[in-house]
Structure formats: structure tokens, C-alpha cells
Amino acid sequence: MVNAQLTAGICERLVNTTNQEEVDALYSSEPTVQILSIKKVGPTSGANAVDRYRIIVSDGEHFTQAMMATQLNHFVEEGLVGKNTIVIIEKFTSNFVQEKRLLIVLALRVVAQTNEKIGNPQGLQPPPGSEATTPAVTKPASTAAPSSAAAAASSSTLTIPSATTISTNRHPGQQNRGGKNPVIFPIEGLSPYQNNWTIKARVTQKSDIRTWANQRGEGKLFNVTLMDDSGEIRATGFNTVVDELYEKLQEGKVYFISKARVNLSKKKFNPTNNEYELSLERNTEIEECRDLTNIPVVHYNFTDLKNLGDLAKDSTCDVVGIVTEIGPTSELTSRFNKTIVKRELTIVDRSGFSVRLTLWGKQAQEFNPSSKAVIAWKNVKVGDFGGRSLSMMSTSMMEINPDIPEAHALRGWYDAGGSSSEFKSQTTSNFSGGSGAFNRDDIRFFNDVREAELGMHGDKAEYFSARGTIMHVRPENLAYPACQTQGCNKKVIEQHDGWRCERCDRSWDKPSYRYIVSMAVADHSGQAWLQGFNDAGQTVFNMTADELMEIKDRDDEKFNKIIEGTIGTQFNFTCRAKQETFNDQARVRYGIQKILPLDYKEEGKHLMALLSSDWAK
Ligand SMILES: [Zn+2]
């Protein structure tokens, strides 16, 4: 009776079916099988290797081997499946291991736990002649015990699709590549279902080596962007792979690459357009391609610097220019407290414009071309602060003196007199001229302010207008005791004869408190810490610092209520961004130059003006 539950003949069909349509149909058929044995297979190479389980499944007539995808490990580890468990295989696919098809179970559900093997299942014979013509063959196993088949599988390196890559095997017929003349796969064609592939790709970008440390341990990684004519893909190597491959993979060179693991792309960390990414492992094969025919070339689609104004913020473009100014390297501290090296270049082109372009990390440090070099960039990001600026990203590519017609034309033009042109700058960066007046037409978002590194362009302060909501006011040190002389504002110190001002050389019976406010202010884009003085405090709290300090002394609860009451209130600001060095780290301090409660009548008028100006167009 239990026997009837198993899907009769499924093992035989899985092993011997070669017709692609039938294979596809089998893979979506949800057969019921019994697990005859489970064996842990040690982790294969790779920094993130985990245990895997090889199972023998039976349909009551025959048995065959399969691997469980690692996302199913918990079934074994939690004892949900074991010997003689009856399961429905909800999803599966296959790989070719030593030219044998190996089933991979991607999803299953448990039907029943039984005490004994159902029927007397036998191993399977391969179909006659199939070994020579098709890779879809199992080990001749009619006499082999499951355990010896298990040993064969465990010595192989498997590529198991990750948890979310659930689909049927699309191209089992294309698997058996390799040998001396590998057929080159297009990058676009890579998927977790391809096993024996080789790509021929150019390294268009290589990251620095990054390290991490957390409770689970520490490690390092790097990544490269690989490109061929069909597309690009990100590849990442961890730990020992970094030692082996970091030096070997050079930007701009072309390599044959095979035996890397194809995973679903973690979009959050991967700016390439590919659905998948590669994990470089210890057995990944990489060979430099020295045959310079047919190598993938970078295709540029250059934008004239003159036209950068037409591009949206955060869009990307390709540019080719002559470097006219090379700034020094400078360090800045990122949001995550990491130190990043940057360098700013000025480039010009034949359109008569110049623009500032920022390099980061290794590329900033090692930038060393001869002066007035022609450089082509692919995929640089457009910024819109202070006019237009450009910035390299992890997926950008820089080619110095590239052998392309556009570069030769630019060189020729520049050397023949173009160098003496007047270039109009796309990057104005003239915020330092700000008077501190609030400008409703030029409100900047906090995240843009940070990304544009306002305040970090030299020693001058830069000003911007913003509108934000108070998220938090630091309640400590909200005010300091100051001298009562008009305009002195110096901090006074309590002594035996009262509060003494050094500057005025006199003592007061009591100080006059002045605010120093530090508060987190947010708009839809992000948050910034703003520092303000007495005016800011009076506007935010709507009382003098003396009044607030008096309340603080007398009634803690009321004081806390007042602080809390500021949260959620909105103001217009003029801010002053200026770099300061604190503990050897450069940070930008945002000072409140002006703070204005929202005047809804004015805001309304402004919105109406905006609307009518748009409608008039
Ligand atoms: Zn004084």
C-alpha cells in the first residue's frame, strides 16, 4: 500500500531520458521517492563551503543518487528526513559530474517516515551506446552498492545552485565542454545550470582587497568586473583565493576563466547589470589570453563634456578627455568610519568644456600617467552639485591613452592648438560665495550634500540651504554660562565672588546662558547633525537659554518634555559646511547659519510660483 505512493519508474526515466522536453517535464513532475541513505559529503573548496548531503533515492524499482542543495541541509540536521523517509521532490535540476548526470534536489517536502525499504530497488544500467553519445549517463550501478556510488560522488566538485535559483535544467545538452579547445560561453549565457563553461573576459575593474571582522571571524575579499561582448559580471574571491588570484588578475587584461561558481547576484552589493555573479574558488581556472585576436574590446559611447548638463544626476556616461589638472590625494572618512582615498582630476575635451572627475581608492593612489594624457572612462557617475561633476564607481573603467580613434583625434586636436582654448567649467563649486541667505529655489537634500562632499573642497566653508525636521536634540550641554556684557558671550567661571569673565575682568552675580545646540535633522534623503548657537536654540525652543536652564534645574520632567517637544518640528536652514580635523580624522561640520520656522504663506506662494512657471512652459 505504501508502495503505491512512490512514483514508479521515475528513477529510470531520470537517468535515461535525453530528450530535452521530456527532461523538462520530469523536472517539474514532483515525483514521490523514498530516501534509502543519506551521506554527508565534506565541504568542497571555497571560503564559504558548507557540508553537503548525498542521498540515494528509490522509486521502489530502481534507485539513483542525488545531491541535496545546501539550503535543504536543515532537513537532515533537524532529523526531518533520514533513512526510509518518503518525500516529494518539489524542485530539482541536474549537474554533470565526471560526465554523469547527478540530480540535485532543490526543494522537497516530507510525506511519511517509514521503517523499511519499499520493494527491492535495483541500480540502473545506462542505455546502450549512450556513454559515447550523450553525457546523460549514470555510473553502471546494477551491482554497485549505494555506498560505492556515494564515494564516487563525494570526490567530485559539485556546483549546487543556491537557494533562490530554482528552475529546471535548460541546457543539459551543452554541458560536456572542456578539453583543449573550450567552447567559449558568452557571459550573458552563464547561469547556475551551466557547469563546464569557459568565458573569455576582460577585467575592466579590480577592487582593493577589503577585510572584515565580526563575531564569526575575519577575512578578506576582492572583486573584479569581467566583460565580454555579451555583457559583464562581477566575480568575488575570498581569503586564500585573494592570495592566489589578486595579483594574477590585472585590470585591462583578458583571461580564460572556468570553474567558478555562479550565484544569484546580491544586488545590494553588486552594481553590474547581471542577474548572476561569480564566486572565485580555489579550483577556479584562470589563464591569461595572449592571443590578441578576437578579444573583447570596450565599447564606449562618449558624451561630450559640453552635454553633461543634459544628463540626470546619478546617471552614468562614458567620457574621453585630456587631463589638465591632477589634484593631490586626500583622505576622507566614510559613513561607516572607513578611510577612503580620493583624488580629483580636471579633464577637458574638444567641446570646449572642462569637468572635475573624482578617482577613489587604489586608482586615486596609483594614478600616475604622463601629464596631459588622454584618458577614456566608461560608466562614470554624474553628480549635480555645483554644476556637473563625474565620479568613478566600482563598475567604472579607466583606460589611459587608449588606442581608439576618439582618443587619437582628441590628442591631435589638443596638440595642434586646442590646449590654448578657453574651457568652460561644468563644475562651478562656488558655494563658498554664499552669503548665508536662505534660498528656497536652491534647497539641497542632506544626502546630496554628503555625497557631494560639501565643505571638503579646500579650506573654504561652503553654504547650502536645506529644509529639515528635527529628529533628536542632544540634551547634554545645551547651554553654557556666558558673560552678561552685551556681545561678549565668553564663558564665565563660577568663583568665590560670583561668575567671572576673564575678557571683561569682572564678576557677575549670575551668568547669562547661551545655547549650543547639536541636533539631528532629516529630510527624505537622509539625516545630518547640525550645530547651532544661541539664535538656533531660541528658535527651536522658543525661549531663552536662561529660561530653559532654570526649568532644567527645577523640573527634570518638564525639561525632558520641552526637549521631546522639538522632535518633529520643521525648519528652513542655511548651513555652513566646513571640514574639521578631529582625532586625525577629517569630518565635515554643518553649522546652522540661519534657522527659520516655516512660513506657510511663503511656502504656499513659492509652490504656486513653481506650478505656474511649469504650466507656462
Ligand atoms: Zn565678558
Side-chain angles (χ1 to χ4, degrees), residues 69-70 105 160 163 232 273 283 301 355 378 500 520 554 573 590:
T70 53
V105 179
I160 306 275
E232 56 182 18
N273 221 350
N283 63 330
N301 183 14
V355 70
K378 186 161 185 62
R500 178 161 181 78
R554 181 166 48 81
F573 297 93
Y590 301 114

Side-chain angles (χ1 to χ4, degrees), residues 483-485 488-490 492 501-506 508:
C483 174
Q484 288 198 39
T485 306
C488 173
N489 300 344
K490 186 153 172 60
V492 291
C501 175
E502 296 289 341
R503 185 183 290 158
C504 302
D505 192 23
R506 63 165 290 183
W508 303 90

